[in-house]
Amino acid sequence: MNVLSRDQQILVVSCLTEGQSIRATERLTGIHRDTIMRLGERIGRGCAELHDRMMVGVRVGRIELDEIWGYVGKKQKRVERHEIGHKGDQYTFVALGSASRAIISYRTGKRDSENTDLFTQDLRERVLGEPEISTDGFLPYQNAIRDAFRGKAHHGVIVKTYSVTNLAVKDAARRYSPAEVIAVEREVVSGFPVKISTSYVERQNLTLRMTQKRFARLTNGFSKKLTNHAAAVSLYVAHYNFCRVHESLRTTPAVAIGVADRVWTIGDLIDAVLPLEPNKPVRVKRNFRVIEGGKD
């Protein structure tokens, strides 16, 4: 990693942020996959630190929260007891500013109450005022938002009911097609939310799944280590916020939300993150608990 030229580093990061797997990046660049992995993990750590330093003191009107599923090492049903903390299902919690489309906060870990609390506490530390927050029907959000924002946030929940007619279809081409939404319910949890919707953050989750090979379904591009998975998420968030021009905004989310004054190139991103604390651990806290029968 240390002997790669700046142009080679830019080429590798460009491939990793445009949906290429590690081996595909190796074939396209001629750089060994171990070097690509080391570079990706190092830049991912720097991107996590960059996000922590820059995405603070943000004032937003509406925030949408959602989670996107992925897995590390193996599917959850094959996870052994000693692997529960770092293998199997790993969710990425995302808080998106609806107007700027900026990812304000994120967290990678198990989909449980503890990670939900830590995610919302991190969000509270980054935003100012009393924002309007929309979430799905995941119950831990209600207590977590109430505790983090001390009851001052305007919280609304949207619950979508999907058709289950074709869930038993064996054809893989049809199995992953989206189900039909047959009912939508909106509920005010606290305050006076004007608009209750998670459409923007769900669309952002699609971008994440399309541009990070580790989230692609029915492939062997999934992460084998939790640290690498978290580093890839951090790289995606930094690239999405600072480098990727949003089609509707015609600028980057970081410029729209006011934490950057121009659109960054990938070279700018690399120059910013490589000097940041090379030994800092990846931004994922592993305070996991063993859950039996779906209850803590």
Side-chain angles (χ1 to χ4, degrees):
M1 186 199 80
N2 294 327
V3 300
L4 292 179
S5 67
R6 185 170 183 273
D7 289 341
Q8 287 177 311
Q9 292 176 346
I10 292 173
L11 183 58
V12 168
V13 174
S14 299
C15 291
L16 294 179
T17 54
E18 290 296 337
Q20 300 299 324
S21 65
I22 298 296
R23 290 180 182 269
T25 302
E26 179 184 36
R27 292 190 293 271
L28 289 169
T29 63
I31 300 171
H32 195 273
R33 57 184 175 273
D34 291 343
T35 303
I36 295 171
M37 288 288 295
R38 284 193 291 270
L39 177 65
E41 184 178 3
R42 172 65 192 87
I43 291 181
R45 291 201 304 268
C47 288
E49 180 65 18
L50 177 74
H51 184 89
D52 283 339
R53 295 186 182 190
M54 297 193 68
M55 199 61 70
V56 293
V58 177
R59 188 176 295 278
V60 289
R62 285 192 67 252
I63 303 174
E64 298 180 7
L65 310 186
D66 198 19
E67 324 85 52
I68 180 172
W69 170 80
Y71 66 95
V72 172
K74 59 182 72 174
K75 292 291 185 65
Q76 186 66 30
K77 64 181 179 180
R78 301 186 182 278
V79 172
E80 311 240 346
R81 179 173 291 272
H82 67 280
E83 300 174 323
I84 290 178
H86 59 279
K87 296 288 186 181
D89 292 347
Q90 301 291 341
Y91 285 81
T92 297
F93 294 79
V94 177
L96 187 83
S98 62
S100 63
R101 310 295 199 276
I103 297 177
I104 302 170
S105 178
Y106 66 99
R107 181 177 181 83
T108 298
K110 296 295 184 180
R111 191 173 185 251
D112 58 15
S113 298
E114 181 177 2
N115 276 310
T116 306
D117 289 338
L118 293 172
F119 168 61
T120 53
Q121 291 288 345
D122 180 76
L123 175 63
R124 170 71 277 187
E125 293 174 359
R126 298 184 186 279
V127 299
L128 304 174
E130 302 176 4
E132 180 179 325
I133 301 177
S134 295
T135 67
D136 58 18
F138 186 47
L139 288 178
Y141 275 134
Q142 298 189 19
N143 290 335
I145 292 174
R146 181 198 62 199
D147 295 341
F149 289 84
R150 301 184 182 276
K152 295 182 179 180
H154 306 280
H155 181 202
V157 173
I158 180 171
V159 179
K160 299 178 181 178
T161 303
Y162 295 91
S163 170
V164 295
T165 305
N166 296 321
L167 290 185
V169 174
K170 301 300 182 181
D171 182 10
R174 297 176 59 194
R175 189 186 315 149
Y176 285 92
S177 60
E180 180 184 0
V181 177
I182 58 177
V184 176
E185 296 181 4
R186 292 177 172 86
E187 176 185 354
V188 175
V189 178
S190 64
F192 305 95
V194 177
K195 181 179 180 181
I196 303 175
S197 173
T198 56
S199 297
Y200 290 140
V201 69
E202 289 172 3
R203 179 59 183 84
Q204 182 282 141
N205 285 345
L206 174 61
T207 301
L208 171 55
R209 197 171 291 281
M210 293 293 290
T211 56
Q212 276 295 325
K213 191 66 174 180
R214 296 168 187 269
F215 286 84
R217 300 177 184 270
L218 298 177
T219 72
N220 61 354
F222 56 87
S223 299
K224 312 307 183 292
K225 294 173 60 178
L226 181 58
T227 52
N228 291 340
H229 187 75
V233 172
S234 295
L235 173 58
Y236 164 80
V237 171
H239 179 265
Y240 173 87
N241 278 339
F242 292 95
C243 302
R244 185 185 179 96
V245 175
H246 198 280
E247 290 185 0
S248 63
L249 299 176
R250 302 304 176 97
T251 187
T252 60
V255 173
I257 206 170
V259 299
D261 58 359
R262 60 182 174 84
V263 177
W264 287 19
T265 65
I266 291 180
D268 293 332
L269 179 64
I270 293 175
D271 293 340
V273 303
L274 281 182
L276 295 178
E277 299 185 39
N279 296 319
K280 182 180 177 66
V282 174
R283 186 177 184 268
V284 53
K285 302 181 178 67
R286 302 187 188 180
N287 300 321
F288 302 129
R289 299 192 303 275
V290 177
I291 298 176
E292 297 180 358
K295 298 181 179 179
D296 294 351

